[in-house]
Amino acid sequence: MEAFPYLKALHIIFIVTWFAGLFYIVRLFIYQTEAQDKSDLEKKVLTDQFKIMSKRLWYGITWPSAVLTLIFGPSLIHIYMPISEHPWLIAKLCFVLLLYIYHFICHRIFKNLQSDIYNLSSTKLRIWNEVATILLFAIIFLVILQSVLSMWKGLLGLILFSALLMVAIKLYRKQRLK
């Protein structure tokens, strides 16, 4: 039990660095995608730089943080045994699973961009970037509130928050295109 606060602190630290990596990597994807509209010289310089930055971030921070989060997270679960008595934790773990799926999809996007395959527009990538935000909100609220009832209220708030994010993205796009 003495190790619990240290494990919890390490788990939180790696969650924070993992999310930082996820948020920033998609911004780099957006910038690299938008660089394709520049002149040939600018496009080459920017694309090469964004590929280097993405590679260092992805393999130096984001992947290690995801792995370390996965190592330290389960080390804390024994406190909540039996898990069936904590429905909020089951819901949280479902959102964490979605976060790892998000991470793997980001990895596929990363590999495509490293190979100069541009399947997504910068607008779609901006929307994609907000998925991590939504997952972050869901996970944090479940951990803090530890209530499935509150989770349903939170999900309603999350849906409203998501709608506001989509409106903000569309407004930003209109402003950017002017």
Side-chain angles (χ1 to χ4, degrees):
M1 203 60 161
E2 285 181 35
F4 181 78
Y6 296 99
L7 294 172
K8 188 175 183 181
L10 288 168
H11 180 61
I12 292 168
I13 289 165
F14 291 114
I15 288 168
V16 170
T17 58
W18 183 25
F19 267 103
L22 288 173
F23 288 140
Y24 190 46
I25 196 71
V26 180
R27 293 306 307 167
L28 291 175
F29 295 165
I30 292 165
Y31 300 150
Q32 184 177 337
T33 300
E34 289 178 347
Q36 304 315 298
D37 296 332
K38 306 286 184 188
S39 68
D40 287 342
L41 178 61
E42 244 184 318
K43 178 169 110 175
K44 177 168 178 21
V45 170
L46 290 171
T47 300
D48 290 348
Q49 185 61 41
F50 289 133
K51 283 182 180 182
I52 291 167
M53 293 168 68
S54 295
K55 191 173 185 179
R56 288 177 181 165
L57 173 67
W58 195 241
Y59 292 122
I61 295 172
T62 313
W63 260 110
S65 297
V67 169
L68 289 166
T69 296
L70 191 57
I71 290 169
F72 289 113
S75 72
L76 305 171
I77 288 186
H78 71 278
I79 298 295
Y80 299 103
M81 289 300 175
I83 197 170
S84 61
E85 292 178 10
H86 303 279
W88 68 268
L89 183 57
I90 295 168
K92 179 228 175 191
L93 293 173
C94 290
F95 280 109
V96 170
L97 176 63
L98 290 175
L99 185 61
Y100 276 97
I101 291 169
Y102 177 88
H103 180 97
F104 289 121
I105 293 170
C106 283
H107 186 76
R108 189 178 66 213
I109 296 168
F110 166 79
K111 293 299 250 180
N112 282 343
L113 293 179
Q114 291 292 312
S115 301
D116 295 316
I117 299 169
Y118 298 91
N119 295 330
L120 300 171
S121 68
S122 62
T123 301
K124 286 181 182 173
L125 287 167
R126 279 185 172 78
I127 293 168
W128 180 246
N129 197 40
E130 300 311 326
V131 172
T133 304
I134 293 164
L135 292 171
L136 175 66
F137 271 67
I139 292 166
I140 296 297
F141 274 104
L142 280 166
V143 170
I144 299 300
L145 299 174
Q146 296 187 359
S147 164
V148 175
L149 178 59
S150 295
M151 180 190 73
W152 289 113
K153 293 176 189 174
L155 284 175
L156 178 60
L158 206 52
I159 291 167
L160 294 172
F161 178 70
S162 301
L164 285 173
L165 283 174
M166 295 305 125
V167 169
I169 289 168
K170 288 182 184 219
L171 290 174
Y172 176 73
R173 183 170 188 256
K174 282 182 183 178
Q175 181 185 7
R176 215 180 71 237
L177 293 175
K178 284 184 182 180

